[in-house]
Amino acid sequence: MGLLELKSIKKTYFLGSSVWGKRKIVEAVKNVSLTLEEGVCLGLVGESGSGKSTLGKILLGLEKPDQGEVWFQGRNLYNLKAKELKELRRNLQVVFQDCYSAVNPRLTVGEIIAEPLRNYERLTSAQEKKKVQEFLEIVGLCLEDIHKYPHHFSGGQLQRINIARAIALKPKLIILDEAVSALDVLVQVQILNLLAQLKEEFQLSYLFISHDLQAVNYIADRLAVMYKGEVVERLDDMEQLERLEHPVSKKLLSSVLPPYPSGERLGIINNMTKISL
């Protein structure tokens, strides 16, 4: 069993009022099964409405599946008691797309990063401050930033703060839900480089959810393509990206890749050139 395993996940929404007419049935996720091994970044890509974000919410416990099981570290998340789930959740963190709404604007950066530490660890004020400063440095921010508020930072800097909070407990898995899509290309590359470095340093696993195949190709080890609630294609070797066959995969591929000569290895795409932090 992998670090994370989804077994036959289904989620249906009923939209509209049953009083005035029939409800619209939306099958957001249809019988999805996925496995994520430790130390691997799995890219989950699809167009808007494909069901990928709904699947992410199910993994985080924000949406309950109508059917299926979510296993994390060998335990079924939806069969656990509250105390057991809380303990398991320390190894399952998330970075959302909207870096601004993900933080409390009334808290300092130090308080934001310290939040998970306060929930799970008993530290003195001095120990907490030292750890927060350590993670600020790790994500490329200044020690003096600990006393600042979210409005003092750009989107890219604020996403670094969200990443620092996500790694504060040194979790096993981080779900990255469109974590770079709201940033401009240069900042995207910087954040993706940072995530790649953190993955190696802390032996992290990622579920990288995105509509952007270019960003997914940049960081992912494996790929799953979703369309209309289903996983329609999988790829275990990102070097074979040009061999994707499903029509929606080809559509995503053509939107970001220029034509390549037959057999040419796909490298860093378009303007995404690796740069130092």
Side-chain angles (χ1 to χ4, degrees), residues 75-126:
R75 306 184 75 180
N76 188 341
L77 291 183
Y78 287 94
N79 281 348
L80 298 178
K81 296 179 181 179
K83 185 177 180 180
E84 296 173 318
L85 181 60
K86 180 183 177 182
E87 187 57 35
L88 201 65
R89 281 292 301 274
R90 72 173 293 150
N91 278 319
L92 177 60
Q93 298 295 315
V94 62
V95 178
F96 291 107
Q97 174 182 359
D98 190 344
C99 54
Y100 295 97
S101 64
V103 297
N104 187 333
R106 297 182 180 180
L107 298 183
T108 65
V109 165
E111 292 171 321
I112 290 168
I113 298 175
E115 184 179 3
L117 297 173
R118 292 173 180 176
N119 289 336
Y120 286 96
E121 297 184 7
R122 294 182 179 181
L123 302 175
T124 64
S125 296

Side-chain angles (χ1 to χ4, degrees), residues 41-231:
C41 176
L42 173 63
L44 184 63
V45 65
E47 299 174 320
S48 178
S50 63
K52 59 188 187 300
S53 290
T54 299
L55 198 60
K57 292 176 182 177
I58 289 172
L59 298 180
L60 292 167
L62 301 176
E63 294 277 4
K64 188 174 181 179
D66 301 324
Q67 182 179 315
E69 299 175 346
V70 179
W71 290 78
F72 180 61
Q73 293 188 298
R75 306 184 75 180
N76 188 341
L77 291 183
Y78 287 94
N79 281 348
L80 298 178
K81 296 179 181 179
K83 185 177 180 180
E84 296 173 318
L85 181 60
K86 180 183 177 182
E87 187 57 35
L88 201 65
R89 281 292 301 274
R90 72 173 293 150
N91 278 319
L92 177 60
Q93 298 295 315
V94 62
V95 178
F96 291 107
Q97 174 182 359
D98 190 344
C99 54
Y100 295 97
S101 64
V103 297
N104 187 333
R106 297 182 180 180
L107 298 183
T108 65
V109 165
E111 292 171 321
I112 290 168
I113 298 175
E115 184 179 3
L117 297 173
R118 292 173 180 176
N119 289 336
Y120 286 96
E121 297 184 7
R122 294 182 179 181
L123 302 175
T124 64
S125 296
Q127 290 172 328
E128 180 184 288
K129 183 178 180 180
K130 184 178 179 180
K131 277 207 168 189
V132 169
Q133 289 180 324
E134 174 188 340
F135 286 111
L136 278 172
E137 285 192 308
I138 287 172
V139 299
L141 295 174
C142 302
L143 298 182
E144 295 76 17
D145 290 335
I146 194 171
H147 301 297
K148 296 179 181 178
Y149 289 86
H151 68 269
H152 291 122
F153 299 91
S154 67
Q157 290 172 324
L158 200 51
Q159 199 63 304
R160 289 175 184 265
I161 293 166
N162 286 315
I163 292 169
R165 178 176 58 185
I167 64 172
L169 295 172
K170 298 182 180 178
K172 293 292 185 181
L173 172 63
I174 298 179
I175 297 175
L176 301 158
D177 190 0
E178 299 281 7
V180 299
S181 64
L183 308 173
D184 64 48
V185 173
L186 179 60
V187 179
Q188 281 188 36
V189 177
Q190 293 172 340
I191 296 298
L192 289 170
N193 281 338
L194 172 63
L195 290 170
Q197 291 174 10
L198 295 175
K199 179 175 176 288
E200 295 301 317
E201 182 175 351
F202 294 105
Q203 298 182 325
L204 298 169
S205 302
Y206 294 147
L207 178 64
F208 191 88
I209 301 171
S210 180
H211 67 279
D212 185 354
L213 187 55
Q214 181 170 248
V216 170
N217 183 54
Y218 193 82
I219 192 172
D221 303 302
R222 298 174 185 171
L223 177 71
V225 181
M226 287 194 72
Y227 178 63
K228 293 186 177 181
E230 299 179 281
V231 173

